[in-house]
Every structure is written in C-alpha cells, then in structure tokens.
Amino acid sequence: TNSLIILAVLSLLLVGGLVVVARPELGVLVLTCTFLVGYFSLLEGEGRFTPNNLLGLLLLAVLFGRIYANRDPSVLADRHLVLFGIVGAVFVANQILLANVKPPAELAVLDLSKVRVEGFISKIAYLAFVIAFIRTRAHVLMLAFTVVALVLMTVPNAIWNALAASGGNI
C-alpha cells in the first residue's frame, strides 16, 4: 500500500509539473494559495524540499527557458523587479558587512538574518513570476478572484474566533 501511495503522489507531481510547464500562471496561482492558506502537514517537505520551493524551481526553469527561447530578457528589466533587486542588494550588503558581528549569546536565538534572507528571496522570485506569467486580463482576474475567495474563506473562522473571545458579546 505504501508503494501505491508513493506511485500516486509521484504521478500527481508529474501531472502537476506538466501543467505548470504548459500553463505557468497556474503555478503562480498555486504559490499564491499556499502563501495565503498554507498546505496540509502531509505535504510539508523536508528542509529545503518544500512544495513551494520545488514549484518555485520549476517556475524558475520555465522562466529562464522562455527568456532563452524568446531571446527577450525584458521581464528581468521590469522597473518593479529592478527596484526590488536594489533593495535586495542593499539587504545582502548589510548582511555581508555585519557577518562578523556576533550577537550576545542570550540574543543569538533572536537573530532572524537567515530567515529574512530566505523570505526576501521567496518574495523577489514570486514577484518575477507574477510579472512574467500573469500577462493577460484573464490571468489578473483569476489571481484577484482567488485572493478574494481565500480571504472570504477565512471570514467564518474569524467571526467564530471573535465571538468565542468576547463570549458572544460583540
């Protein structure tokens, strides 16, 4: 039974990968969903092999494949991406300059430098994917409706938590 489950998961990953290669805007949509909602603990990856990272690598391959095939790197010259890149360069320079500064032992657990760098890389990659793959009005509407739907999905739980916290007296 374990081998059947593994085979089913691998088949699903292969089909999903082919769909993302053919329609990368759907990959951006899935990334957006996992950013806003997360994914089941069953799907959580190990270390750097998370679903988001694997999907991001696949989208990155599609992006560079398109840039190479079309001989058009204009996506990378988008002013929003360039501005984000400048902020990232300053961020990285700051990390390099402060690499030798060690915090006191009791504050070392509060050092979030690595987490912040990884988060920044994720955000700049997501921005590049949105710029590259969300191109038509239909893509924009699909992304906007998905975000609105995901926000609306949280409303009942938010209302329930608000009522529970206030004892029903809102």
Side-chain angles (χ1 to χ4, degrees), residues 28-39 126 143 146-147 150:
V28 174
L29 187 72
V30 170
L31 274 180
T32 303
C33 291
T34 61
F35 287 158
L36 295 174
V37 177
Y39 36 79
Y126 178 74
L143 191 61
T146 301
V147 170
L150 291 172

Side-chain angles (χ1 to χ4, degrees), residues 19-157:
V19 168
V20 169
V21 169
R23 303 269 318 266
E25 66 273 8
L26 296 178
V28 174
L29 187 72
V30 170
L31 274 180
T32 303
C33 291
T34 61
F35 287 158
L36 295 174
V37 177
Y39 36 79
F40 301 109
S41 59
L42 176 68
L43 296 176
E44 288 180 2
E46 196 65 35
R48 299 216 187 278
F49 294 109
T50 65
N52 282 0
N53 288 352
L54 295 175
L55 180 57
L57 287 174
L58 181 59
L59 286 170
L60 193 64
V62 171
L63 175 62
F64 284 128
R66 282 191 179 183
I67 289 172
Y68 181 76
N70 297 335
R71 305 270 193 257
D72 182 20
S74 63
V75 168
L76 301 177
D78 181 86
R79 63 184 173 151
H80 299 97
L81 199 55
V82 169
L83 180 62
F84 217 85
I86 291 169
V87 170
V90 170
F91 187 63
V92 168
N94 181 53
Q95 294 297 96
I96 291 170
L97 291 173
L98 296 177
N100 294 333
V101 177
K102 301 293 181 215
E106 63 274 4
L107 297 177
V109 295
L110 300 176
D111 184 17
L112 298 175
S113 301
K114 182 179 177 185
V115 173
R116 299 285 188 244
V117 169
E118 290 172 358
F120 184 81
I121 291 169
S122 297
K123 287 171 182 60
I124 198 166
Y126 178 74
L127 177 63
F129 299 150
V130 168
I131 291 168
F133 301 129
I134 304 298
R135 306 298 290 173
T136 67
R137 178 183 170 99
H139 295 161
V140 172
L141 288 173
M142 177 182 63
L143 191 61
F145 284 137
T146 301
V147 170
V148 169
L150 291 172
V151 169
L152 289 176
M153 283 174 39
T154 65
V155 169
N157 191 31

Side-chain angles (χ1 to χ4, degrees), residues 6-27:
I6 292 172
L7 183 63
V9 168
L10 289 175
S11 299
L12 185 63
L13 287 174
L14 179 65
V15 170
L18 291 173
V19 168
V20 169
V21 169
R23 303 269 318 266
E25 66 273 8
L26 296 178

